[in-house]
Amino acid sequence: MSTNQRTASLTVDGKTVDFPVLTGTHGNDVIDIRPLGGKTGLFTYDPGFLSTASCRSAITFIDGDKGELLYRGYPIEQLAEKCNFLEVAYLLRTGELPGAAEKAEFENTIRHHTLVHDQLTRFYNGFRRDAHPMAVIIGVAGALSAFYHQGMDYSNVEHRDVCFNRIIAKLPTIVALAYRYNTGLPFMYPRNDLGYAENFMYQMFGVPCEEYKPNPVLAHALDVIFTLHADHEQNASTSTVRLAGSSGANPFACVAAGISCLWGPAHGGANEACLKMLEEIGDVSRVGEYIERAKDKSDSFKLMGFGHRVYKNFDPRAKLMGKVCANVLAELGLENDRLFKLAKALEKIALEDDYFIEKKLYPNVDFYSGIVQKAIGIPTAMFTCIFALARTAGWLAQWEEMITDPEYKIGRPRQLYVGAARRNVPDIGAR
């Protein structure tokens, strides 16, 4: 980042104040308004932070107009094709891809951190069996701090190493145990001879009474889903993690806060909402009816899984996920399944219909990832848990970047107060 010679001027009550313009590697330049309050007595008003850069970051960059997503400068398409999720997690945290020796060491470290404390498994018994799994993993992820936070100094890079490795390794186990508890199946211990995605599938679907061998096509599909969801710039849940972490909260609590934010249907719950929409439509014969409803401005129905707030053209992750989706359906012989035929019919219309093309409402990553997870056998209620598992890599990288930034301060947004003016409390008899 550099401060160039450009300045932005603001004139208030006849007084002009200049502010420096900062330039990053990619994207819009920003006006440094940190001295605004002191110089003018004013604050900016920007609900949703649509025009506000809340931090400086070197982790992820998105160009919504071009349909581009970069992790540490690398295009997501190349990373999903040439790297596995743990390589990507290493990249997000360190800024560089691991070499062969670093990759082997990191994967071995993660493999030997997957087991959770036996007392932690007893937390699950405190939840109702029909509790939403997101509610469960929020509680259990936050509870990790009761086991590992004591004595940790997060200004120490070695302590941050241990913390990062623990959370990345244990989240798949925590998520899988939530599924097993919800379904009444016995908990499965992780296996150190399996890869990251394969181990997760084993803990999800294995049973003690027979051998379970993860399907490599399905394991690869999950690994790609993890990679595509690992980070996404300053979205709501990442900003939540940063805001929580800015107070000095421990990273386990910050991750739990991020999971809570992710649960919302406007964020991580989108792929779950997409599958519910497909179930509502029900059959290919009703697609035309729902397409017309989606076009009708007076109808509250929304076609979930199409279009994206950030990507103004095609979501680059959707292109990759579409290929993975086709491979998974072919592997499982599900091309003619009712729900998946319905999804393909919707996809065809969105890619060919003038209305959707004009408004650039193309299928996004949530549309395809939901279909893939459903095909693998993951229940709809677990979709956002999978998202949280993957996004934890980005959250921790963002948290560490923030707490090691010499300019970092506790987050304290301002407000435009519109309540009652100052007044006095009347005596009780006068009320």
Side-chain angles (χ1 to χ4, degrees):
M1 186 191 73
S2 65
T3 303
N4 57 33
Q5 300 301 313
R6 296 168 58 208
T7 59
S9 299
L10 175 67
T11 301
V12 180
D13 299 329
K15 179 183 177 182
T16 299
V17 182
D18 293 331
F19 300 93
V21 174
L22 308 180
T23 300
T25 309
H26 295 298
N28 295 353
D29 291 349
V30 301
I31 303 169
D32 184 353
I33 60 165
R34 283 175 290 181
L36 177 67
K39 288 185 175 182
T40 68
L42 301 175
F43 298 132
T44 58
Y45 181 66
D46 185 20
F49 306 107
L50 301 183
S51 298
T52 300
S54 61
C55 64
R56 65 180 76 201
S57 179
I59 298 173
T60 306
F61 174 72
I62 298 169
D63 189 321
D65 293 327
K66 292 181 180 178
E68 182 177 64
L69 171 60
L70 306 177
Y71 289 173
R72 297 288 191 177
Y74 293 108
I76 190 64
E77 298 89 337
Q78 295 178 22
L79 291 170
E81 180 183 350
K82 299 180 180 181
C83 303
N84 65 29
F85 172 70
L86 287 184
E87 290 176 276
V88 169
Y90 185 98
L91 166 71
L92 288 172
R93 183 180 177 225
T94 68
E96 299 295 339
L97 286 166
E102 294 167 322
K103 178 178 183 289
E105 181 183 0
F106 182 59
E107 290 182 347
N108 185 60
T109 299
I110 296 299
R111 191 177 291 119
H112 287 85
H113 271 296
T114 53
L115 196 64
V116 297
H117 196 291
D118 190 57
Q119 282 184 278
L120 192 71
T121 64
R122 300 176 193 174
F123 277 55
Y124 291 84
N125 292 323
F127 295 96
R128 288 171 52 117
R129 288 280 180 181
D130 61 353
H132 195 290
M134 281 293 283
V136 175
I137 70 167
I138 288 167
V140 178
L144 284 172
S145 61
F147 292 85
Y148 302 114
H149 178 55
Q150 204 70 10
M152 296 294 281
D153 175 11
Y154 297 116
S155 66
N156 185 318
V157 66
E158 293 180 0
H159 288 201
R160 295 199 301 272
D161 284 344
V162 172
C163 179
F164 183 86
N165 295 339
R166 279 175 174 162
I167 298 179
I168 294 297
K170 296 181 191 305
L171 247 293
T173 301
I174 288 170
V175 170
L177 292 182
Y179 167 71
R180 305 291 289 200
Y181 181 75
N182 188 256
T183 54
L185 292 167
F187 291 175
M188 298 295 287
Y189 289 108
R191 279 172 43 186
N192 290 347
D193 61 322
L194 295 176
Y196 194 79
E198 289 85 357
N199 212 345
F200 176 66
M201 291 184 68
Y202 169 74
Q203 291 184 88
M204 284 282 290
F205 304 122
V207 290
C209 49
E210 61 185 50
E211 185 180 9
Y212 176 82
K213 293 183 178 181
N215 183 313
V217 174
L218 307 188
H220 173 70
L222 266 181
D223 195 82
V224 172
I225 287 176
F226 296 161
T227 294
L228 298 183
H229 289 85
D231 200 50
H232 209 236
E233 221 186 67
Q234 303 307 314
N235 54 79
S237 59
T238 298
S239 297
T240 297
V241 169
R242 278 182 170 263
L243 188 59
S246 75
S247 73
N250 71 77
F252 305 101
C254 296
V255 166
I259 297 172
S260 301
C261 180
L262 191 70
W263 195 358
H267 193 4
N271 50 15
E272 184 177 343
C274 181
L275 260 291
K276 288 180 179 178
M277 176 199 70
L278 292 176
E279 291 287 5
E280 179 185 343
I281 295 174
D283 188 77
V284 173
S285 63
R286 302 184 67 195
V287 168
E289 169 193 344
Y290 278 84
I291 288 294
E292 291 306 312
R293 288 186 60 188
K295 295 178 181 179
D296 186 352
K297 294 181 180 179
S298 64
D299 196 316
S300 61
F301 172 76
K302 291 184 178 179
L303 206 58
M304 303 302 295
F306 294 84
H308 195 280
R309 179 182 176 183
V310 174
Y311 298 108
K312 306 308 178 187
N313 286 297
F314 214 97
D315 181 345
R317 302 168 300 168
K319 295 180 181 180
L320 298 162
M321 207 66 244
K323 295 177 183 177
V324 170
C325 183
N327 292 338
V328 167
L329 297 184
E331 174 70 14
L332 298 175
L334 291 173
E335 298 96 329
N336 294 317
D337 178 90
R338 172 187 64 86
L339 207 60
F340 301 128
K341 283 180 69 176
L342 172 57
K344 295 302 288 183
L346 280 173
E347 176 193 43
K348 187 174 188 299
I349 290 174
L351 294 175
E352 296 178 358
D353 188 286
D354 289 340
Y355 175 86
F356 290 93
I357 293 173
E358 180 183 342
K359 294 187 174 294
K360 298 179 179 178
L361 296 175
Y362 301 113
N364 61 38
V365 69
D366 298 311
F367 179 77
Y368 294 112
S369 64
I371 295 170
V372 170
Q373 291 178 72
K374 181 77 172 179
I376 290 173
I378 297 170
T380 306
M382 290 292 299
F383 289 179
T384 316
C385 299
I386 306 296
F387 195 156
L389 186 167
R391 185 56 59 84
T392 297
W395 288 336
L396 290 172
Q398 298 269 355
W399 165 81
E400 184 172 21
E401 180 182 62
M402 179 196 66
I403 67 167
T404 56
D405 184 344
E407 292 187 345
Y408 120 81
K409 295 179 175 62
I410 185 172
R412 180 57 169 91
R414 300 296 183 170
Q415 66 173 16
L416 176 63
Y417 176 69
V418 293
R422 188 186 188 283
R423 49 184 173 169
N424 297 319
V425 178
D427 295 335
I428 192 166
R431 295 180 204 170

